[in-house]
Amino acid sequence: MRCKLTTLLFLAMSLPSPLFADAMTCGQSLVQQGDTEYQVEQKCGKPTSREMNRWIYDRSSEQFVYELTFEAGQVTHIVSRSRE
């Protein structure tokens, strides 16, 4: 039983999971909650994909993929996912 639990925990920890981030960087600029869509696009350029109020920044040279959620034109959530 203990071996099964250990295996299950190991598998759960090895899966890529979303991490809530307070901010994301784009070059020398910092994007954080409260920034407007315009500010984010000025700092980071166009997102990789844009679906309604959700923008995805997937920069192949970076370790994380970022998902930004907007409400009323401002960033409300930033989630990062590891590439691993």
Side-chain angles (χ1 to χ4, degrees), residues 13-78:
M13 290 173 46
S14 65
L15 295 173
S17 60
L19 302 171
F20 292 96
D22 292 329
M24 81 175 210
T25 57
C26 291
Q28 300 291 327
S29 300
L30 184 67
V31 173
Q32 54 194 345
Q33 290 180 351
D35 282 358
T36 65
E37 292 177 354
Y38 177 80
Q39 290 171 316
V40 173
E41 197 159 342
Q42 290 299 304
K43 294 175 183 179
C44 302
K46 294 188 182 291
T48 307
S49 68
R50 188 183 296 192
E51 298 176 15
M52 296 186 61
N53 66 340
R54 194 165 293 163
W55 292 14
I56 306 293
Y57 281 93
D58 184 359
R59 308 285 194 238
S60 59
S61 62
E62 295 182 13
Q63 183 178 1
F64 296 99
V65 175
Y66 289 93
E67 178 181 307
L68 283 66
T69 304
F70 292 86
E71 290 181 19
Q74 294 184 313
V75 176
T76 57
H77 296 91
I78 300 173

